[in-house]
Amino acid sequence: MDKKIKLLIEKYSDNELLLNKLVVSAFANFNKIEFCEGFLLQYIEKNDKELLADIAVLSKQCSVEDVISVFELAIPNAEKTANGAVYTPKYVRDYIVSQITHSIEKPLTDCLCADISCGCGAFLYTLAKAIHDKSGESYKNILNHMYGVDISSTSIGRAKIMLALVALSNCEIVNETDFNLYVGDSLSFDFLGMPGVKENEGLDIIVGNPPYVRSKHIDPTTKQNLPLWNTSKIGNADLYIPFFEIGMSILNERGLLGYITVNTFFKSVNARSLRNYFANNKLSLSIIDFGQQLVFKKKLAYTCLAFLSKHTSDTLLYVKANIAEVESNKNFVYSRIKYE
């Protein structure tokens, strides 16, 4: 990212309203969009000369992906450590969403979709765009079937802004009442209480990047909720571990789940309960392992893609892959490994 943009992010990162105004106004300028109504109007700046000058700088290049990058980079470092917030590269989001939307049996426009650690909404955007491109369905209708939960109120606010900008770029105006985005701790959140989810017997699609927070960095309040889940009840579980169990508990019988997460759960001591959970329930699990390649360049975390469904299987599918193969949307040949 351009050094001038990084300086702007640093300048406004402590002022949520001004940063939001910077991004929304720059996006409108870059995409030549006129605002006439909707909740985004509050973020259009017309008077502050210093802010207007900075908006002009960002306006030179401000696509949806740029909006996502700015919002993610503006998250304070303390919050990144506590909540595990990190920007997921576009090619990873595209690959996960492509695999899920290609494999789901239900019509995409009828699917209830979620990211249960949604951050600023990058996965939700990728999923909404894929459904829109495949079906021609309006973003307004797609958002009615899309759910997001995050512990950060700032991130949820920015997810609403980003998704509203996506809709607006398609000449659609959405309001805050059109979103199913919630501030909450997913460890204790009532997902089945969200509109329409119980009637649908759960969610059809779950995608995301569960928060990677090491046990020693989990805040005390969050730590109290870890024993609510069998996979994190014993030992010093990292925060990402129960997100598999949470996702599967709210996925319906024909639903699909796709995550990017750390690959330490293959053999780490604190993920033993998670491995037992997969094996005992004979879940259909496919793993694309990046080994020691770094998907998140500035975060020393070795990762994999994991796809799950409630179809039972005595084996899991595994393949070691490199980043370029995922970027090119390669169809992999998996090895089949018995759970036992």
Side-chain angles (χ1 to χ4, degrees):
M1 181 175 282
D2 187 279
K3 182 180 281 189
K4 290 181 181 178
I5 306 303
K6 289 183 178 179
L7 290 173
L8 286 181
I9 295 170
E10 290 177 15
K11 181 177 179 180
Y12 293 104
S13 60
D14 292 330
N15 191 315
E16 185 176 341
L17 178 60
L18 289 185
L19 182 80
N20 292 346
K21 284 187 172 183
L22 172 74
V23 170
V24 172
S25 298
F27 184 88
N29 291 349
F30 177 70
N31 293 280
K32 297 180 172 55
I33 295 173
E34 290 289 335
F35 286 76
C36 56
E37 58 179 301
F39 87 100
L40 288 175
L41 269 177
Q42 64 188 298
Y43 301 114
I44 294 297
E45 183 56 51
K46 295 181 179 179
N47 301 313
D48 186 325
K49 290 184 178 179
E50 183 179 357
L51 181 55
L52 286 170
D54 291 334
I55 288 168
V57 173
L58 187 58
S59 297
K60 293 175 183 177
Q61 175 62 44
C62 197
S63 65
V64 174
E65 286 296 330
D66 293 314
V67 169
I68 294 170
S69 295
V70 170
F71 278 161
E72 296 284 358
L73 287 171
I75 297 172
N77 285 329
E79 189 172 314
K80 288 179 182 177
T81 300
N83 299 339
V86 63
Y87 171 76
T88 305
K90 180 178 182 296
Y91 74 88
V92 171
R93 289 183 274 120
D94 285 343
Y95 187 85
I96 290 175
V97 167
S98 173
Q99 294 297 305
I100 294 287
T101 55
H102 177 74
S103 302
I104 197 77
E105 297 173 7
K106 190 173 179 179
L108 286 172
T109 51
D110 295 334
C111 287
L112 300 191
C113 311
D115 181 347
I116 62 175
S117 54
C118 68
C120 297
F123 264 101
L124 295 177
Y125 156 65
T126 305
L127 189 52
K129 185 177 185 301
I131 295 172
H132 173 77
D133 290 348
K134 286 175 180 286
S135 68
E137 187 71 52
S138 71
Y139 279 105
K140 192 179 183 77
N141 288 342
I142 292 169
L143 293 176
N144 285 333
H145 290 169
M146 196 157 283
Y147 307 84
V149 176
D150 198 88
I151 203 163
S152 166
S153 59
T154 298
S155 292
I156 288 294
R158 288 173 178 166
K160 291 177 179 178
I161 290 171
M162 188 269 296
L163 292 170
L165 289 174
V166 172
L168 192 62
S169 65
N170 197 57
C171 302
E172 297 180 46
I173 294 171
V174 297
N175 291 295
E176 285 200 83
T177 54
D178 293 312
F179 295 109
N180 296 305
L181 301 178
Y182 305 92
V183 179
D185 182 351
S186 289
L187 293 171
S188 57
F189 190 80
D190 180 17
F191 290 98
L192 294 178
M194 298 188 299
V197 176
K198 191 172 184 179
E199 294 79 358
N200 194 56
E201 299 181 341
L203 294 160
D204 299 291
I205 293 173
I206 297 175
V207 293
N209 181 356
Y212 179 53
V213 182
R214 296 188 66 182
S215 177
K216 64 182 179 181
H217 295 308
I218 301 174
D219 71 76
T221 304
T222 302
K223 207 157 210 172
Q224 287 179 351
N225 288 327
L226 285 174
L228 294 172
W229 301 95
N230 290 324
T231 51
S232 53
K233 187 176 289 186
I234 302 171
N236 298 311
D238 295 334
L239 188 53
Y240 78 93
I241 287 173
F243 275 76
F244 282 100
E245 187 180 358
I246 297 168
M248 296 307 291
S249 75
I250 54 176
L251 199 69
N252 62 34
E253 292 302 315
R254 294 168 59 189
L256 299 175
L257 178 150
Y259 283 163
I260 177 169
T261 190
V262 291
N263 61 17
T264 52
F265 74 83
F266 300 170
K267 54 188 175 182
S268 66
V269 173
N270 69 354
R272 184 180 295 146
S273 294
L274 178 60
R275 294 193 295 276
N276 289 338
Y277 171 76
F278 291 145
N280 292 341
N281 289 283
K282 296 185 176 182
L283 296 175
S284 176
L285 170 62
S286 301
I287 296 170
I288 299 173
D289 183 13
F290 290 119
Q292 294 188 315
Q293 296 175 87
L294 293 178
V295 171
F296 305 107
K297 302 298 183 185
K298 293 186 178 181
K299 193 174 182 69
L300 189 61
Y302 302 125
T303 55
C304 68
L305 306 184
F307 298 93
L308 280 158
S309 78
K310 289 187 175 180
H311 297 300
T312 57
S313 176
D314 291 323
T315 59
L316 63 86
L317 301 179
Y318 175 89
V319 66
K320 195 100 173 258
N322 62 55
I323 289 171
E325 289 173 323
V326 170
E327 284 186 285
S328 65
N329 204 32
K330 179 178 178 177
N331 289 318
F332 292 102
V333 177
Y334 292 84
S335 298
R336 192 174 287 274
I337 302 171
K338 290 186 177 181
Y339 270 121
E340 67 185 36

